[in-house]
Amino acid sequence: MSIRVVLIDDEPLVRAGLAAIIDSDTGLDVVGEAGDGADAIDLIQRTQPDIVIMDVRMPQLNGLEATRLLVARQDPPRVLILTTFDSDDYVFEALRVGADGFVLKRAEPEELIRAVYVVAGGEVLLYPQKVREMAAQAGRREDLASVAQLSSREQEVLSLMARGLSNVEIAGELFLGSETVKTYVSSLLGKLGARDRTQAVIRAFESGFITL
């Protein structure tokens, strides 16, 4: 089964380029396109994609607000934010509300394809240094109280998540089974009140728990 992708960008040429890159991979299939977040919601309802590649800056409904609406729905698609800048406030806010990662418009075609596969596979696509910088620019909004309630092992797992490691890679680092790591991740998400790994990592940066 191909991974179903919807493209949301207000520039037709950008959408055409993205579609050509995505469709060049036999495992990916562009099933819809829209030029604004306002049109995205209905399109996504009709096409039921696995992944939405979402431009962050659009004239009517920007990528932040569109992402906020999408992740509030039952069984939402994964969202990959597309941006010109790697220090964009909109990108950081989109990650906070539930986007699964971001990729730069100037990225190489193979980087974009890899990003789609990573996010489709249920992993988070983060660039820790950039997320850390965006968190610093936004100012701390969380305190350490929520992180402090994590067990020492959960804190270790969160630290490795913030480095962008997958569950399998974390298992290798900590000499644990993958299912055990998955259990730790689920537990720490619940304690942090985080929807997913991205929000957990954002909380770690904002609280100052991660200070690499």
Side-chain angles (χ1 to χ4, degrees), residues 160 164-174 178:
L160 294 173
L165 273 64
S166 67
N167 283 359
V168 172
E169 291 168 329
I170 292 172
E173 286 277 334
L174 299 180
S178 294

Side-chain angles (χ1 to χ4, degrees), residues 7-11 14 18 34-38 52-68 79-97 99 101-105 134:
L7 306 175
I8 313 296
D9 194 293
D10 62 335
E11 298 181 43
V14 172
L18 291 172
D36 192 85
V52 176
I53 298 179
M54 180 88 71
D55 188 17
V56 73
R57 295 179 180 272
M58 293 179 287
Q60 296 183 57
L61 189 69
N62 64 42
L64 167 61
E65 294 305 323
T67 299
R68 196 190 306 274
V79 178
L80 184 61
I81 294 293
L82 187 67
T83 179
T84 305
F85 307 104
D86 56 4
S87 57
D88 194 312
D89 287 342
Y90 280 109
V91 173
F92 186 70
E93 288 300 319
L95 292 173
R96 291 187 85 248
V97 301
F102 70 94
V103 65
L104 299 179
K105 287 188 177 181
M134 286 189 281

Side-chain angles (χ1 to χ4, degrees), residues 134-174:
M134 286 189 281
Q137 291 168 5
R140 291 185 182 177
R141 305 184 185 189
E142 304 282 341
D143 58 38
L144 278 168
S146 58
V147 177
Q149 65 182 312
L150 302 180
S151 69
S152 58
R153 181 64 87 184
E154 287 167 347
Q155 291 186 11
E156 287 182 302
V157 171
L158 179 58
S159 295
L160 294 173
M161 285 168 55
R163 285 169 45 192
L165 273 64
S166 67
N167 283 359
V168 172
E169 291 168 329
I170 292 172
E173 286 277 334
L174 299 180

